[in-house]
């Protein structure tokens, strides 16, 4: 059974930093995409960052480039999202996703392409 467990969310002031963690278990595919998504009330879920676990490829949405960094620790089966210089508009529930399916949009930041999801961790940025 695949499980994804996010942690590390919290409340910070604008300009602050947080590091989110996604611990994976039961997921045996060594080369696939893992991604972070976020969703605010009333808005669609949007892709934030993705990493190819079999190599060095990463993708980011434009609004987080230069501020967020996705990384992985294969020994710990954990994916991280380091978020710096946080802005109020980064406030959302953040989700980890795995089990990317090729086809359709072929976008690694498309939530419809992922099979497995965590329960989410809340990030709130306010002054």
């Amino acid at each position: 059974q695949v499980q994804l467990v996010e942690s590390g969310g919290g409340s910070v002031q604008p300009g602050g930093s947080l590091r989110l963690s996604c611990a994976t278990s039961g997921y045996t595919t060594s080369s696939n995409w893992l991604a972070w998504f976020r969703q605010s009330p009333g808005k669609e879920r949007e892709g934030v960052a993705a990493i190819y676990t079999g190599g060095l490829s990463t993708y980011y949405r434009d609004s987080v480039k230069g501020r967020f960094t996705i990384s992985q620790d294969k020994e710990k089966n954990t994916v991280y999202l380091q978020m710096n210089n946080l802005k109020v508009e980064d406030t959302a529930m953040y989700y980890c996703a795995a089990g990317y399916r090729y086809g359709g949009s072929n976008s690694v930041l498309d939530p419809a392409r992922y099979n497995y999801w965590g329960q989410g961790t809340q990030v709130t940025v306010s002054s």
Side-chain angles (χ1 to χ4, degrees), residues 19 22 24 51 71-80:
R19 189 178 79 154
C22 173
T24 69
I51 186 167
S71 62
Q72 61 174 326
D73 185 330
K74 291 186 177 182
E75 290 188 0
K76 295 182 178 179
N77 293 322
T78 300
V79 175
Y80 303 98

Side-chain angles (χ1 to χ4, degrees), residues 18-71:
L18 285 172
R19 189 178 79 154
L20 306 183
S21 299
C22 173
T24 69
S25 62
Y27 189 63
T28 58
T29 301
S30 60
S31 298
N32 203 315
W33 291 93
L34 287 172
W36 286 96
F37 292 81
R38 65 187 182 189
Q39 188 168 20
S40 303
K43 294 186 177 181
E44 293 187 354
R45 190 167 297 190
E46 60 184 24
V48 176
I51 186 167
Y52 185 65
T53 60
L56 300 175
S57 294
T58 56
Y59 281 94
Y60 298 90
R61 70 179 300 106
D62 288 344
S63 62
V64 307
K65 287 179 181 178
R67 300 189 297 123
F68 290 11
T69 303
I70 189 170
S71 62

Side-chain angles (χ1 to χ4, degrees), residues 87-122:
K87 303 178 180 180
V88 172
E89 51 264 40
D90 294 319
T91 296
M93 184 72 79
Y94 282 71
Y95 299 91
C96 178
Y100 178 75
R101 303 187 313 275
Y102 289 88
S105 66
N106 271 332
S107 168
V108 296
L109 295 182
D110 179 357
R113 308 310 310 163
Y114 288 86
N115 288 321
Y116 307 111
W117 294 85
Q119 82 291 347
T121 185
Q122 178 67 37

Side-chain angles (χ1 to χ4, degrees), residues 13-15 67 85-92 123-127:
Q13 293 185 339
R67 300 189 297 123
N85 191 20
L86 283 161
K87 303 178 180 180
V88 172
E89 51 264 40
D90 294 319
T91 296
V123 171
T124 302
V125 185
S126 68
S127 54

